[in-house]
Amino acid sequence: MPFITLSDGSQKFYKDWGSGRPVVLSHGWPLNADAWEGQAVALASAGFRVVAHDRRGHGRSTQTWDGNHMDQYADDLAELMDQLDLTDAVLVGHSTGGGEVARYLGRHGSARVRKAVLLGAVPPLMLRTDANPEGTPMSVFDGIRAGVAADRSQFYYDLSEAFYGFNRPGSEPSEGKRREFWLQGMQAGLKGALDCIEAFSETDFTEDLKKIDIPVLVAHGDDDQIVPIAASAKKAVELLPQGTLKVYPGAPHGLVGAYEAAFTKDLVEFAAA
């Protein structure tokens, strides 16, 4: 399996499929690169080189004790881009991965990147504050921390229901999808998973978004129960100099069913345009 060695000596796992212009996929919490399998196959089949990586602390990458924060995630992504010499790339980030992409572009610039996609992404800020009243209360994130610390196995399984919208009337729950979410979550180290909750909920990406000087597709389901659209996509697109908002009616946070098919089609078209 391919790895790069990061500057702190830790190992970062990645998949490298296909050939052509690179598309780099950053996953959500508590998942890993496997969450992108459908999109990776579609993109590689359409003539792109697809690089999907595991964030530190997640999946097959090193479970470091330190460095589980957005600045380091962005720096790790920069090392991946540099070591693989990826240029003219399309960066795609889902949920926490969207924050990683935004922080990378704000911190390292767009010299290697031609466009980006933020899918169900956490920017500009998830946490409710006086300046961000649409955000989610700290008590919710404290509850997530408590659930992961007490019984992460049961917590991840339970979370998958709202993640994919299986708790909505008329939905078609997939037990296989829930088990897939659980399996990927259980591959994340407990320390990294707990630290990442703070990273995705409390990091303010406002200034990062303002600095992004490339076209960005902001894609979001309007029934996202994990990262509500009012505090994320609708605000992010106003901060991006070249942002375009695509709303998927009735869609949840996680890619599933008709929503996944529609987004995958849009992603391939956006990358190719």
Side-chain angles (χ1 to χ4, degrees), residues 122-126 132 134-136 227-236:
V122 298
L125 174 63
M126 280 197 75
N132 187 41
E134 297 84 6
T136 302
V227 183
I229 191 171
S232 53
K234 289 188 175 180
K235 287 191 169 185

Side-chain angles (χ1 to χ4, degrees), residues 118 121-124 209-210 218 229-241 243:
L118 303 179
V122 298
L209 295 174
K210 291 177 181 179
V218 181
I229 191 171
S232 53
K234 289 188 175 180
K235 287 191 169 185
V237 75
E238 296 299 323
L239 294 166
L240 288 161

